[in-house]
Amino acid sequence: MRRPGWRNAVTMAEADSQTAFDIDAVRFAVGERTLLGPVSLELRRARVYGLIGHNGSGKSTLIKLLGRQQPASSGAITFAARPLSQWRARELARALAYLPQTTPAATGLTVRELATLGRYPWHGALGRFGAEDRRHVEQALVLTDMEGFTERLVDELSGGERQRAWLAMLVAQNAGVMLLDEPISALDIAHQVEVLGLVRELSRKRDLCVVVVLHDPNMAARYCDELIALKDGRLLTRGTPSEIMRSDVLKDIFGVEMGVFAHPVTGQPVGYVQ
């Protein structure tokens, strides 16, 4: 089933495709130094992809390229069957939501006001905030379990609550793709589970393509449908959690000896450093 935000942002022919991104030999360099690539990938709708790898492997660079936060040095990225470079800024903001590693200051904003900013691509600075916008904001607050925090200042929230507030803004945006750069890096374990569980639930409910940068392979394996491992700026391997969470594969990714056992309750693979 096609979701409203995705349908409004692309043509009906494009919306019928299950491919969100087609990444063809993409490379990013600063001067003579190549930070990423060449990388080729296909990312599909209604799936959660976890980008894993050591620091400097190119995870954040790749997600910035997907979010058009910076241009590729070479290669091509196609988004919803159109070259990413050809999307108009406002049109792209309706179809793609991006949360950077460090969120901007939300000084003086309440949770409701922050969520309301997610509707900006739909009505613009001078447009009227109407009933449809209010419906999306209220739905976003419910989906992120923030309806009890609507009048709280964002800066006064705990880390997990603050991340949920930012996710509410992205949900209100009603985009078909969500890009998250290390959304749990500053959170304790309880809030990590809370935020990633929410992200997975949103993907299921809204058929979202979610790409999330994560450091912990166990968290990635638990909440993602597929893991994509980068190393030294190149695609090392990709696969399901069961395919990636193997001792030999994890050693190739992280460069340390790792063991794997089945979780005693869920049966999911869990990695540990030997």
Side-chain angles (χ1 to χ4, degrees), residues 135-149:
R135 183 179 70 82
H136 281 291
V137 169
E138 293 305 320
Q139 185 181 52
L141 292 169
V142 170
L143 285 172
T144 55
D145 198 24
M146 292 301 288
E147 66 267 40
F149 297 82

Side-chain angles (χ1 to χ4, degrees), residues 93-115:
R94 292 179 175 182
L96 186 154
Y98 169 76
L99 189 66
Q101 188 175 135
T102 303
T103 54
T107 306
L109 288 179
T110 66
V111 170
R112 183 183 298 280
E113 289 169 338
L114 180 61

